[in-house]
Amino acid sequence: MNILVINSGSSSIKYQLFKMPSTQPVCSGLVERIGIEGSFIKHSVFPAGEKLSIEKDAFISGHGEGLKQVLALLSEGLHAVIASPGDIAAVGHRVVHGGEHFSGATLITDQVKKQIKKLFSLAPLHNPVNYKCIEVAEQTFPSAKQIAVFDTAFHQTIPEAAYRYAIPEQYYSEHGIRVYGFHGTSHKYVSEQAINWLGKPHSKIISIHLGNGCSITAIKDGKSIDTSMGFGPLNGLMMGTRSGDIDPSVIFHLMEHSGYTLEQLSTLLNKQSGLLGVGGSSDMRDINKLAGEGKDKAKLALKLYAYRIKKFIGAYAASLNGIDTIIFTAGVGENDVEMRAAVCDELDYLGIKIDKDKNKSYQGELLDIGMDDASVRILVVPTNEEYEIANQCFKLLN
């Protein structure tokens, strides 16, 4: 069964084609800088374990044009992997916000699309783009089942004491204001990999997803029980451009004394803060370079970033009543040796002790980087949201 997975961002489309139940993709790719000068596509095919890559530079005006380019790469030329759109049995879509309506992979109907649309205001950078890609995929692959996998679904197991805010009940019952959590597809995938590696279904795991967006989740017996992102994806850890936790009084102060509008405040906290606001760049590689050059702002950004993570580890150790393992995943979590070391520093009272040599030896596959005598395992687990989406679609159709 051919399942195409589409993971769309505000200016990008990541995709992978799986011939399920195989865990290895037939091909994968990235359409980047959609609607921006310098658009490009990277497409890789994997025949007989090899990797053949194609790169194209072309202005891509929108996500519709991007998907047309993807279809051409899938079905045309020497390295075509399908004969026609009809060869695709299902298209799995990552949808960021599902509210309380969806707790698993869901066949997309008109009613489901209406629910996704209702949630545009809660995930304004993602849900509208996810919706657009669903509509384009319906036209591009008319015979395929369209399936949504929601980032919020994994967190539907969070207990009420953790997902409710301490505000009057009517704001929850009438407006749905509560913790929803995000990055659920990633946290689900890496925690399942860790559970299999540990051989311990009943386990206490802290999963740390560090990319441009960052979140941390407490997972007990394979189920999310708390997570750092809340009603929207702005809360919790410091991120590339998002502030993470901030006292709401700051917002009132800026509105009252500096005349900030809601739009200006949204831009400030979502697009101008985090690593960018403190250190001068939203890319951790740039921050590390600037810190290496002695720039104090970049050094401070690194300290703030690591401190926030450590603080949540302590909180979630309390929520879980202990820890079996912590997981580092996503772009920064998988690739930044120094940040992993900074996060684990001085956490030996919790049983977290990193092995510096093992930490440096990570090569892209699941690795335990903890000291042999430590009571808590420290795992680096490469996330694969696309495969997790394909697997959920496959299970739904079967």
Side-chain angles (χ1 to χ4, degrees):
M1 178 186 291
N2 287 325
I3 297 180
L4 176 65
V5 174
I6 295 174
N7 185 344
S8 54
S10 56
S11 63
S12 66
I13 301 171
K14 286 196 291 184
Y15 62 92
Q16 288 192 35
L17 176 63
F18 293 89
K19 191 173 182 64
M20 297 299 289
S22 173
T23 59
Q24 298 302 315
V26 176
C27 68
S28 67
L30 172 67
V31 186
E32 190 69 280
R33 297 179 65 84
I34 294 172
I36 306 170
E37 207 61 45
S39 309
F40 66 89
I41 302 174
K42 290 183 178 179
H43 178 77
S44 298
V45 184
F46 307 98
E50 299 176 43
K51 182 178 179 180
L52 302 170
S53 294
I54 302 164
E55 293 194 25
K56 293 175 64 177
D57 293 317
F59 179 69
I60 298 165
S61 58
H63 286 74
E65 175 62 26
L67 275 183
K68 287 178 185 175
Q69 297 271 4
V70 171
L71 175 59
L73 288 165
L74 293 174
S75 60
E76 299 173 9
L78 291 173
H79 304 301
V81 292
I82 60 172
S84 71
D87 288 346
I88 302 296
V91 181
H93 298 267
R94 176 200 176 211
V95 181
V96 166
H97 212 310
E100 290 187 309
H101 304 286
F102 307 105
S103 59
T106 304
L107 278 171
I108 295 171
T109 63
D110 288 342
Q111 187 59 37
V112 170
K113 287 164 70 175
K114 284 179 184 177
Q115 292 292 348
I116 293 170
K117 250 186 152 175
K118 283 182 181 178
L119 296 164
F120 276 10
S121 62
L122 301 191
L125 296 180
H126 294 91
N127 265 40
V129 172
N130 301 151
Y131 185 89
K132 173 67 175 174
C133 282
I134 289 168
E135 291 204 309
V136 173
E138 286 174 333
Q139 297 168 3
T140 308
F141 304 97
S143 63
K145 299 286 188 184
Q146 306 292 328
I147 298 171
V149 175
F150 297 90
D151 261 10
T152 49
F154 181 60
H155 300 301
Q156 286 298 297
T157 54
I158 293 176
E160 188 174 22
Y163 74 66
R164 285 287 296 273
Y165 292 114
I167 56 177
E169 195 272 340
Q170 71 188 76
Y171 294 97
Y172 168 62
S173 59
E174 296 177 17
H175 302 282
I177 295 175
R178 54 158 285 178
V179 169
Y180 289 104
F182 300 90
H183 294 144
T185 307
S186 175
H187 288 300
K188 181 177 187 294
Y189 176 81
V190 298
S191 62
E192 287 175 350
Q193 298 299 303
I195 288 167
N196 290 337
W197 183 86
L198 290 165
K200 191 175 182 181
H202 299 290
S203 53
K204 300 171 182 179
I205 293 171
I206 296 176
S207 173
I208 309 167
H209 179 107
L210 303 177
N212 189 48
C214 301
S215 64
I216 181 168
T217 296
I219 301 166
K220 188 174 184 179
D221 302 339
K223 295 180 179 180
S224 172
I225 65 162
D226 204 352
T227 193
S228 59
M229 284 180 167
F231 180 66
L234 178 60
N235 204 47
L237 301 178
M238 179 178 174
M239 308 179 214
T241 63
R242 297 181 193 134
S243 66
D245 284 349
I246 189 167
D247 183 347
S249 300
V250 174
I251 296 169
F252 307 146
H253 178 85
L254 290 173
M255 291 179 73
E256 183 178 353
H257 297 285
S258 300
Y260 274 65
T261 65
L262 289 174
E263 184 178 357
Q264 287 174 320
L265 287 166
S266 177
T267 299
L268 168 65
L269 298 178
N270 280 293
K271 299 179 180 179
Q272 298 174 342
S273 298
L275 288 174
L276 176 64
V278 179
S281 173
S282 63
D283 193 308
M284 183 62 83
R285 291 165 294 192
D286 294 340
I287 296 293
N288 282 324
K289 184 173 182 292
L290 290 167
E293 293 169 355
K295 300 291 191 293
D296 288 338
K297 289 182 178 179
K299 290 179 181 178
L300 176 60
L302 293 174
K303 289 179 180 178
L304 279 172
Y305 192 94
Y307 178 74
R308 293 282 185 92
I309 299 167
K310 290 165 74 100
K311 193 160 69 165
F312 269 95
I313 289 172
Y316 287 168
S319 298
L320 289 163
N321 190 24
I323 315 170
D324 291 311
T325 186
I326 63 170
I327 299 169
F328 288 98
T329 194
V332 176
E334 293 171 37
N335 296 300
D336 196 314
V337 173
E338 287 78 14
M339 183 51 64
R340 292 196 298 262
V343 169
C344 294
D345 187 41
E346 295 186 347
L347 290 181
D348 50 301
Y349 77 99
L350 287 174
I352 296 170
K353 296 190 288 184
I354 197 167
D355 184 307
K356 292 180 181 179
D357 292 330
K358 288 181 184 177
N359 186 31
K360 293 175 183 176
S361 67
Y362 174 73
Q363 295 292 325
E365 295 183 356
L366 189 153
L367 181 68
D368 179 3
I369 59 171
M371 297 285 285
D372 291 339
D373 64 348
S375 59
V376 174
R377 305 326 308 155
I378 306 170
L379 301 182
V380 186
V381 183
T383 192
N384 193 338
E385 290 175 291
E386 287 74 29
Y387 172 72
E388 178 60 32
I389 291 168
N391 193 39
Q392 290 191 41
C393 293
F394 184 64
K395 287 179 177 178
L396 178 67
L397 294 176
N398 283 279

